[in-house]
Amino acid sequence: MKRALITGVTGQDGAYLSQLLLGKGYKVYGLLRRSASADVVGERLRWLGILDQVELVDGNLTDISSLIRVLQDTAPDEVYNLGAQSFVKASWNQPLLTGNVTAMGAGNMLEAVRLVRPQARFYQASSSEMYGLIQEASQSEKTPFYPRSPYAVAKLYAHWLTVNYRESFGLHASSGILFNHESPLRGIEFVTRKVTDGVARIKLGLAKELPMGNLDATRDWGHARDYVRGMWLMLQQDTPDDYVLATGRTVSVREFCRLAFAHVGLNYEDHVRVDEAFMRPAEVDVLLGDPAKAKRVLGWQPDVQLEQLVAEMVEADLKRHSARG
Ligand code: NDP
Ligand code: GDR
């Protein structure tokens, strides 16, 4: 039985990746940071019905001794480093914490793997945010980076350290440069889930309007379930490498709003209000990924189209709010 350790197991991707690996017969360990809200942090795993199948182990990315202990105790064949302060907007308010967790946390994990479990295969959750102020219209593994937030700067450090540990120490370390991926389990602070939650509340008469930031930004949005499959495929290759996962289609926040409101028969223009509070000090205006390498080498391609994703998310939020009501 293969053994996997997932950091960030309580997040969106951690939940779907756990589900995927359990389905493949893995023993799954998830790193859980101590929290006063222990009863709610497993909510996503519970939603997928797998909370009792994932073995949660106590540790924190900022504490290398905890990572060393966890690697000794669990002896994983594969390590997926998904843990991060992952909300871009918060990274301007907490730049150093973001650096500690998102950059140095990855460094701690790589260093712990090198010392304790160098035979393990390692996955680093890199991000399309690293392209920031885009240098090419369509971004591939070869496109130069230009990070535009403390989060993106931190991710860039983690990305290059992963490449460096591969080249320096021969670790089987791969970096997935993933474009935005969403689902009903997406955190409510991210734009897609904020919109689908808002649509559900407005449709059910619980709210009237939805304050939003920059409606003109465009993103390449896919479904998280497709993207965790790509992570796993990267670690099944004989040779570690870096891959872009994306859909190859970019759509504006405005269009996402239109689709989500239209799904319940509403016009977004009647409800969406622009509020400066949701604007960012520096914006990433456009992201559009080129997943050709992942398709060629991994045989990966996304199954879910944006319209399906929007429908699934809106329906899930309608269900959540109706159940509460
Ligand atoms: P989430 O924000 O949903 O999850 C982040 C996870 O990191 C949570 O489990 C969180 O734990 C954990 N975490 C935060 N701080 C620490 C810490 N100090 N020690 C240990 N764990 C910690 O992110 P996603 O699931 O959306 O994304 C997964 C990864 O992929 C992240 O690294 C993200 O930056 C990256 N990424 C995501 C993309 C996306 O579109 N979703 C695209 C590209 C990259 P807790 O529940 O306790 O807060
Ligand atoms: P992003 O995701 O920054 O791309 O990072 P987010 O959904 O937060 O923003 C996407 C775009 O929407 C615009 N926007 C708003 N965003 C939020 N959150 N709230 C709003 O009200 C709003 N209005 C407009 C933003 O300005 C932005 O342009 C996500 C995270 O998952 C990262 O961890 C990951 O690395 C990248 O995706 C790829």
Side-chain angles (χ1 to χ4, degrees):
M1 187 191 252
K2 272 199 189 174
R3 303 152 76 86
L5 172 66
I6 302 174
T7 75
V9 74
T10 54
Q12 169 188 257
D13 292 7
Y16 282 113
L17 180 63
S18 297
Q19 187 181 48
L20 178 87
L21 297 180
L22 287 167
K24 292 184 182 297
Y26 280 61
K27 167 76 186 168
V28 178
Y29 297 96
L31 189 81
L32 183 72
R33 58 173 170 158
R34 188 262 177 269
S35 154
S37 313
D39 53 335
V40 291
V41 287
E43 212 37 59
R44 294 188 173 96
L45 295 167
R46 192 174 291 123
W47 169 282
L48 295 179
I50 56 171
L51 182 58
D52 55 353
Q53 295 170 57
V54 174
E55 188 167 332
L56 298 171
V57 287
D58 180 41
N60 195 301
L61 283 170
T62 60
D63 182 341
I64 191 171
S65 68
S66 72
L67 303 180
I68 287 172
R69 176 182 44 75
V70 163
L71 286 174
Q72 284 168 339
D73 291 351
T74 61
D77 302 297
E78 297 173 8
V79 175
Y80 294 87
N81 186 41
L82 312 185
Q85 190 303 93
S86 73
F87 187 35
V88 173
K89 180 129 197 293
S91 75
W92 278 282
N93 297 334
Q94 301 184 28
L96 302 179
L97 177 133
T98 302
N100 278 336
V101 178
T102 305
M104 296 311 292
N108 285 335
M109 198 72 232
L110 277 165
E111 197 49 11
V113 167
R114 180 176 80 85
L115 294 169
V116 178
R117 195 72 186 158
Q119 66 273 47
R121 296 185 172 193
F122 180 86
Y123 174 85
Q124 171 57 25
S126 289
S127 165
S128 53
E129 279 294 293
M130 301 187 308
Y131 297 117
L133 187 62
I134 54 168
Q135 304 293 297
E136 283 180 315
S138 169
Q139 299 92 51
S140 74
E141 298 79 7
K142 296 201 164 74
T143 303
F145 299 118
Y146 194 136
R148 293 268 282 173
S149 63
Y151 166 81
V153 173
K155 279 289 181 189
L156 202 50
Y157 173 88
H159 172 72
W160 281 120
L161 203 66
T162 302
V163 174
N164 183 259
Y165 270 49
R166 177 168 79 218
E167 294 176 354
S168 307
F169 303 119
L171 290 191
H172 192 295
S174 294
S175 178
I177 307 173
L178 271 50
F179 283 63
N180 300 51
H181 45 278
E182 320 293 314
S183 73
L185 298 185
R186 186 58 142 152
I188 198 124
E189 66 275 35
F190 299 97
V191 75
T192 54
R193 183 70 208 297
K194 175 174 167 178
V195 170
T196 61
D197 175 77
V199 164
R201 283 186 298 112
I202 290 167
K203 181 67 183 173
L204 297 172
L206 302 170
K208 284 204 162 54
E209 55 175 25
L210 184 61
M212 296 284 302
N214 178 13
L215 299 177
D216 297 320
T218 82
R219 287 293 183 276
D220 180 329
W221 279 298
H223 195 299
R225 191 175 277 122
D226 284 334
Y227 287 55
V228 300
R229 194 176 69 246
M231 296 176 187
W232 176 77
L233 282 169
M234 287 179 214
L235 295 204
Q236 308 319 303
Q237 306 307 305
D238 291 338
T239 314
D241 206 343
D242 307 322
Y243 298 92
V244 161
L245 298 186
T247 69
R249 171 185 176 196
T250 191
V251 164
S252 68
V253 172
R254 183 186 307 282
E255 176 63 5
F256 190 97
C257 291
R258 194 191 64 74
L259 286 169
F261 278 91
H263 183 75
V264 296
L266 296 174
N267 180 352
Y268 82 96
E269 287 169 313
D270 296 337
H271 303 281
V272 167
R273 168 174 67 77
V274 172
D275 181 337
E276 285 298 315
F278 296 101
M279 299 292 187
R280 301 177 176 191
E283 179 61 291
V284 172
D285 294 316
V286 181
L287 288 174
L288 171 62
D290 172 4
K293 180 177 170 186
K295 187 171 184 190
R296 194 179 67 248
V297 182
L298 306 176
W300 179 87
Q301 59 183 31
D303 289 338
V304 181
Q305 300 297 312
L306 181 68
E307 288 72 11
Q308 281 171 270
L309 173 69
V310 172
E312 184 184 336
M313 291 179 69
V314 172
E315 290 299 327
D317 278 317
L318 282 169
K319 221 161 118 186
R320 276 191 186 103
H321 284 294
S322 304
R324 273 176 212 150

